[in-house]
Amino acid sequence: MKVQFFSRPNCHLCDEGLSILKLVQDDIHFEIEIINIEDDDDIHEKYMLMIPVVVKDGEIIQNGQLDYVTLYEAFLNK
């Protein structure tokens, strides 16, 4: 399973979100693709007010303040 993590540099909330995502990754195997929204104008416009954003299979699983339980349950239901 591959999960996309949309963020940008110097984003404290993104750093915390990635840490939580990696905790979930310790319990459920998946690959994290980190995408810097500042590298693409369309992606930046789409996600700039939502970051961090976790996407699985084209669907937003969670954004903003990420939590372990929500992510864990979403990935169990792959």
Side-chain angles (χ1 to χ4, degrees), residues 5-59:
F5 181 77
F6 293 88
S7 65
R8 71 171 182 219
N10 302 315
C11 168
H12 180 67
L13 195 57
C14 298
D15 294 340
E16 288 179 8
L18 184 58
S19 294
I20 291 169
L21 190 58
K22 286 182 177 183
L23 287 174
V24 177
Q25 190 181 41
D26 288 342
D27 295 328
I28 300 175
H29 177 73
F30 60 90
E31 183 181 336
I32 302 171
E33 177 186 7
I34 300 173
I35 300 169
N36 180 352
I37 65 167
E38 294 180 349
D39 290 341
D40 183 294
D41 289 340
D42 291 334
I43 292 174
H44 185 266
E45 186 175 330
K46 183 175 183 179
Y47 293 121
M48 68 181 179
L49 298 176
M50 299 171 62
I51 59 170
V53 178
V54 177
V55 174
K56 181 184 90 166
D57 299 329
E59 179 183 338

Side-chain angles (χ1 to χ4, degrees), residues 67-78:
D67 70 271
Y68 179 92
V69 172
T70 301
L71 295 171
Y72 182 85
E73 289 177 354
F75 299 154
L76 274 183
N77 299 318
K78 48 183 164 168

